[in-house]
Each structure stands twice: as structure tokens, then as C-alpha cells.
Amino acid sequence: MLERFFHLYLEHPLELTHDLATVIPIVVGLFYANPKRKEIRFLLIYFVFLFFRNLISNIYATYRINNIFLYNFFNFIEIIGFGLTYYFNINKSNFKFYILIGSILVIIINVFFWETNEFSAGILTLTRIFGLSIALFYFVELLAEMKVKNILKHSLFWVSSGIIIHSTGTILIFLFSKIILSTRAAPDIFFAYWNFILIMYIVFCLFVSVGFWVSKYDEDNYA
Amino acid sequence: MKLYIAVGTAVLLVMAIFIIVFVAYYQQKQIRQQLILKEWQEKYRKGLLAATLQAQEHERRRIAQDLHDEIGTMLSVTKLSLNQLGRTVEHNDPGSTVLVQKTRSLLDETIANVRRISRDLVPTTLERFGLVSALEELAEKASNGEVHVELSCSDKMPTLLPQLDLTLFRIAQELINNAIKHANAENIIIDLHCQPNGVLLSVIDDGRGFDLDEILKDKKRGLGLRNIESRLNVIDGHVTFDVEEGRGSRIHIQVKNLKPEVEVEVEAV
């Protein structure tokens, strides 16, 4: 079993990089992030869940068991993780309310798009739109309030940038996942897009790691 | 179709990167502008405060001059007339001599008071002989049978800017007044020492102290202390209050001397 496990990694080295990339924010978050900040704690928990999803998904792949439902299911955790991250960082009550309502609404709609054996275009796309929306709203809020002295030392700027890049880079691929990520898609097309998704994910992990790293400056970075 | 997805994704990614760069750039630019605006406001506030203090000093000087030149002169003339009247009354109505003498002593007291108020309003010693002499005089004046004020200072004191001299003198005046009036202090030490690039003035007393937060909260009571802070704000000085209710106070004033130093030998007290 272990032989096949390593064989899969050798066959798809980007998968290995992707799995290792998940460890970077966890390590940075555990050792360098500011544990006082709730949003950092929620994101860290999210990445721990992500690590276990990858681990379980790889074990399933080794045993040739369908693991696609894990990717679909993880979007629910992603919505909760992102929702909580922003919910506890925003002071405006109406923005908090929108995040809460938006999260519940997207989760409910996603339930109707549930698929076990295929990537669910509905779930994946809606989750990207949700992530993109709150990250952009946060940017608008950041520019309107001007409460951060140095944006490059603000943790949620990096996290939001990561979410925006990850979401914009994968939204169209997931929207048309029925064509390019389905079991019927040509392997070269599937792997080309799948690898691109993995690259986007690695970029997201790096951005979040930077966010975790700079979170130690957050306390003194508010004007 | 697959190509369109790739092109669409690339376009979206470029847009995303543009948004991120724009947000970072615009936010930094706005923050810089806000900082400039804050600096400008601070500068304006300081200028306004300096102008207010200057106007206050001018007004003091004018009042002192009026007291000395007009009321002082009038009182002196009145005293002369009274003396003449006294001499006349002495011959014609010896019974009224006591009343004239009483009036003369009251007039002397009034003249002395006018002189004192006039001198207190404008620290002439400060202008003529500098801060150390002015503080020496202040300590001497404040000392009486119940209160002992002592000045301790460095052997070599740098010549300070006139504005700094005046600020330090006024602050010392206020603190000594507070120590005597509110803290019932018996011993007060004025400590004036030069530091690299500046001067440290400490006023230490053995009075009953005070609760700084409570005093500053009360708008009516903390006027003197707030005034000290305002004066120091104008010259970029700092005040440290080492105070507590029930024990003596130690108030330290630190100011930077911007003028090239010219050292003056001072005999330490």
C-alpha cells in the first residue's frame, strides 16, 4: 500500500508539493502567528482540517476509492472557515450580518448541488464566489475605514489576496468542471487544469503563510 | 471551449492581481496623506498654542506695565499728597494724625502689593539674569517659616532659548504653587540639570500628593497640569508625573535645547 502511495506522489509530483504547501501555513501559524487573534485561530483550524482532507483523500486514492466527495464536502468547511475568519475581524454589524446570512445561504444552496462521484460545479463555483465576495468586501472596508497603518503588515490583506487569487484562478475551471474535470474528460486536459488548480492552491497557502507571519504586527498596525 | 476557459482564467487572474496591487497602493497612499494631514494639524495646533501663550505673556507684560506706570505712579502721587495732608493735619487737627498714619500704612501696603503683582506678572530677573537666577528668586520668595524651597542645579548650565527659559520658569512657578497650596508641602526641591541636548527640571515635594487620573478627569481641577502639558507641547517637551496620593510628588520636565550651547558658570546652591 505504501509503495503505491509513494508511486502516486512520484507520478504526480505537484500533488506532493500541494500536500506539503498545506503544512507551511500550519507550521507558520503554530510558531509565528499571533494566537490572540480569533481569525488566525479559525484559519489555522481550517488548514488543519485541510491537511487531514488531503491525507484521507490520498489514502482513498491509494486504495482506488472515490475521494471526490471529500473535495465537494470540504467546501462547506471552507465557507464556515472563511465566514468565521471575516466575521470576527469586522466591526460593522451590518457587514457581520451579511457574512452570517451569506454563509448560511451558500451552505443551504450547496446542499442542493451535492454530488458524490463528480466534482460539483455548483458547490465549487458558489464557494469561490462566496470567498471572492467577502474578500473584496473586506478590501472595500479596508479602504473605507483606513484603520490599518501598513497594509503589507496586515494579516487579512494577505489572506484576502490569497483567497482572491485562488478563487479567480479556479472559478471558471470549477464552473466548467463538468467538461474538464469530469471522469469523461481527456486525461491530458484533466491533469492540465487539475495541476493549475494545485498551483493556485499552493499560491493561496503561501499568501496565507505570509498573513500568519505578519499577524504578529497586527496589534500595533491599527491606526 | 477549453481555450476560452484558460483565457478567461488568465484574464480573471490579471484582474485579481491588479485589484490587489491597487488596494495596497491606494491604501498606502491614503495613509500617507492622512499622516501628512495629521502632521499639519498638529503643527497648526502647536502654532496656535504658541501664539496663545505668547499673547498671554504680552498681556501680562501690558498689565504689569500699566500697574507699574499708571497705578504705581498714581499711588506714589497719592502718598505724596497724603504726606502733605498729614503735615497740615498735624498742626491743625492732631486727633486725625492716627487716621493719616493708618491711611499711609495702607497705601504703603497697596504700593508694595502693586509692585509684587507687577513683578510676578513679568519675571524681570529671568529676562535680565537667566533661568537659574529667576528660580533662585522664586525659591527665596516661596520660602517662609513653614515652607522651605531649595534650588539645586548643575555647575554649568547651558544658555537656553528665551522661550524655553520662560516655559521652565512658568512650570516651576505652577508646580511650587501647587505644592504649597494643594499638597501642603513643607520641603520643596527644584532640581535643574543639563542633559545631552536638553535640560531636566524636577520639582520634588514632601506634600500629601494627588491622584493624577482623578485630577486630569476633573476639568475644573486639572487646569494647571493641563497648562503645563500645553506649554511643553509647544516646545516638544515631556512631563513625567511620579505622584500618588499620600506621599510626596516628583514631577520631571524634560526639554530639548535647540540653541547651540554657550555654557555659563553657576554657583551651585
Side-chain angles (χ1 to χ4, degrees), chain B residues 39-267:
Chain B
E39 266 174 38
W40 187 84
Q41 278 173 337
E42 182 65 16
K43 227 176 177 177
Y44 178 75
R45 200 180 60 80
K46 267 187 190 178
L48 207 66
L49 209 61
T52 310
L53 290 172
Q54 208 176 3
Q56 205 177 58
E57 287 302 327
H58 279 157
E59 195 57 17
R60 278 168 186 261
R61 197 174 293 274
R62 193 190 61 77
I63 295 169
Q65 213 165 353
D66 285 356
L67 277 173
H68 182 265
D69 296 350
E70 287 174 32
I71 297 174
T73 313
M74 290 293 280
L75 285 169
S76 298
V77 173
T78 312
K79 196 182 164 186
L80 272 173
S81 303
L82 188 73
N83 285 343
Q84 277 178 356
L85 184 74
R87 276 192 290 275
T88 318
V89 165
E90 227 172 315
H91 296 295
N92 302 334
D93 185 9
S96 302
T97 316
V98 181
L99 197 67
V100 171
Q101 273 174 354
K102 203 178 169 187
T103 311
R104 193 183 294 140
S105 76
L106 276 172
L107 206 55
D108 283 340
E109 208 178 314
T110 311
I111 291 168
N113 275 341
V114 166
R115 269 198 203 131
R116 184 182 54 77
I117 293 166
S118 164
R119 257 191 231 137
D120 283 352
L121 279 169
V122 180
T124 41
T125 315
L126 181 77
E127 284 169 8
R128 285 184 197 159
F129 307 106
L131 182 64
V132 177
S133 303
L135 289 176
E136 263 172 18
E137 193 190 66
L138 184 68
E140 206 181 296
K141 271 185 187 172
S143 294
N144 54 41
E146 288 169 3
V147 184
H148 174 70
V149 185
E150 190 186 307
L151 171 72
S152 151
C153 67
S154 304
D155 290 349
K156 284 179 181 177
M157 278 303 294
T159 306
L160 304 175
L161 288 166
Q163 194 196 0
L164 290 188
D165 269 345
L166 186 66
T167 305
L168 288 173
F169 178 76
R170 289 286 185 217
I171 290 171
Q173 217 175 14
E174 175 68 36
L175 291 175
I176 289 167
N177 190 37
N178 283 353
I180 297 169
K181 218 165 121 185
H182 305 298
N184 290 333
E186 287 176 1
N187 292 295
I188 303 166
I189 299 168
I190 309 167
D191 204 6
L192 185 70
H193 282 279
C194 57
Q195 287 185 321
N197 304 323
V199 175
L200 178 75
L201 170 77
S202 305
V203 176
I204 302 153
D205 70 65
D206 62 351
R208 61 172 180 224
F210 59 93
D211 186 344
L212 182 69
D213 294 330
E214 205 177 291
I215 294 275
L216 289 176
K217 263 185 224 166
D218 192 341
K219 279 182 182 172
K220 284 177 192 167
R221 286 171 73 196
L223 208 69
L225 298 182
R226 266 192 289 272
N227 199 19
I228 291 174
E229 282 179 341
S230 305
R231 282 184 183 276
L232 286 171
N233 213 337
V234 175
I235 53 165
D236 287 327
H238 293 282
V239 59
T240 318
F241 294 98
D242 178 9
V243 290
E244 205 179 298
E245 224 164 348
R247 68 154 172 88
S249 313
R250 289 161 179 270
I251 298 162
H252 308 284
I253 315 290
Q254 211 169 2
V255 290
K256 281 180 189 165
N257 188 21
L258 303 166
K259 197 182 173 185
E261 285 184 8
V262 181
E263 286 187 345
V264 178
E265 287 270 355
V266 174
E267 205 176 296

Side-chain angles (χ1 to χ4, degrees), chain A residues 29-63:
Chain A
L30 281 175
F31 294 103
Y32 300 102
N34 182 356
K36 284 180 198 163
R37 300 197 70 83
K38 271 186 187 167
E39 70 270 19
I40 300 295
R41 290 210 293 263
F42 284 126
L43 265 179
L44 198 59
I45 294 166
Y46 164 77
F47 272 93
V48 171
F49 274 119
L50 207 55
F51 174 77
F52 283 111
R53 181 205 71 179
N54 291 344
L55 193 72
I56 296 165
S57 141
N58 287 339
I59 292 168
Y60 275 31
T62 314
Y63 283 107

